[in-house]
Amino acid sequence: MDPASSPTRILFVCLGNICRSPAAEAVMRSVVTKAGLASQIEVSSAGTIGYHVGARPDQRMRAAATSRGYQLESRARKFVPEDFESQDLIITMDEENRNAVLGQAHAASHKAKVWPFCKFCRHHQETEVPDPYYGGPEGFERVLDLLEDGCQGLLDHLELEKAEE
Ligand code: 4NP
């Protein structure tokens, strides 16, 4: 990637922005930092509902993430249509999130920025990152397994894209 060009901005989106997308943000930041690309890839997250705006990530998600070495520092915010302009890639956790985001996209160029997270997974067959909110601790571990797979896949995809430019 060219350090002189402006950073690629990636926004992860789930429903509440307190479980899956803040964890995706932390896992991706870790992957990007380890690759030495922190100045070239900016990562953040948002939710399609505003119910938890301003809240820290869910304590159960933080605990599971911390035990794998990820710090979840974000505060919940709601996805806004302006994100279509400010972000380069908008990556949704499940079909409901994807439909909620696409429902706010009016330009083809905006729709083209929206991708399902699981498209980037290479070792898991799931098509969605399941919502862990109403389940047990194993659901949070499952989320992290998928996120670690897909974030590495996403980084490789971005590096390949840049190499082909
Ligand atoms: P997230 O999980 O979308 O991964 O942040 C949820 C958080 C909150 C709720 C549902 C899912 N909720 O119903 O409040």
Side-chain angles (χ1 to χ4, degrees):
M1 265 176 234
D2 177 8
S5 62
S6 62
T8 300
R9 295 195 174 85
I10 302 171
L11 180 70
F12 293 105
V13 178
C14 62
L15 181 67
N17 192 211
I18 55 169
C19 297
R20 292 165 291 174
S21 61
E25 176 184 339
V27 172
M28 190 63 190
R29 191 167 290 126
S30 164
V31 163
V32 163
T33 302
K34 280 185 189 141
L37 296 170
S39 63
Q40 293 161 64
I41 300 176
E42 287 182 14
V43 192
S44 62
S45 64
T48 59
I49 58 169
Y51 189 71
H52 299 281
V53 165
R56 297 185 68 195
D58 186 283
Q59 203 279 330
R60 298 165 296 170
M61 191 76 252
R62 275 190 279 144
T66 301
S67 69
R68 294 195 194 196
Y70 306 111
Q71 298 308 313
L72 273 52
E73 310 284 1
S74 61
R75 293 276 176 175
R77 78 160 175 93
K78 192 169 185 244
F79 178 84
V80 289
E82 290 74 25
D83 288 318
F84 289 119
E85 293 297 334
S86 60
Q87 305 294 324
D88 298 301
L89 281 175
I90 298 168
I91 302 188
T92 52
M93 296 292 133
D94 65 25
E95 279 304 301
E96 184 187 340
N97 315 147
R98 181 171 154 79
N99 290 333
V101 167
L102 284 174
Q104 299 176 63
H106 300 299
S109 61
H110 292 172
K111 289 186 178 136
K113 293 184 176 186
V114 183
W115 294 91
F117 181 85
C118 287
K119 178 193 184 314
F120 300 102
C121 287
R122 289 174 301 196
H123 304 291
H124 294 84
Q125 305 309 316
E126 283 93 330
T127 55
E128 301 182 300
V129 181
D131 182 348
Y133 191 67
Y134 292 107
E138 69 286 352
F140 293 86
E141 297 299 333
R142 189 70 185 144
V143 166
L144 288 168
D145 290 343
L146 289 164
L147 295 181
E148 287 176 335
D149 184 6
C151 286
Q152 190 59 55
L154 174 57
L155 179 75
D156 294 347
H157 168 83
L158 292 171
E159 288 188 307
L160 200 66
E161 245 188 0
K162 285 281 177 188
E164 284 169 357
E165 268 177 13

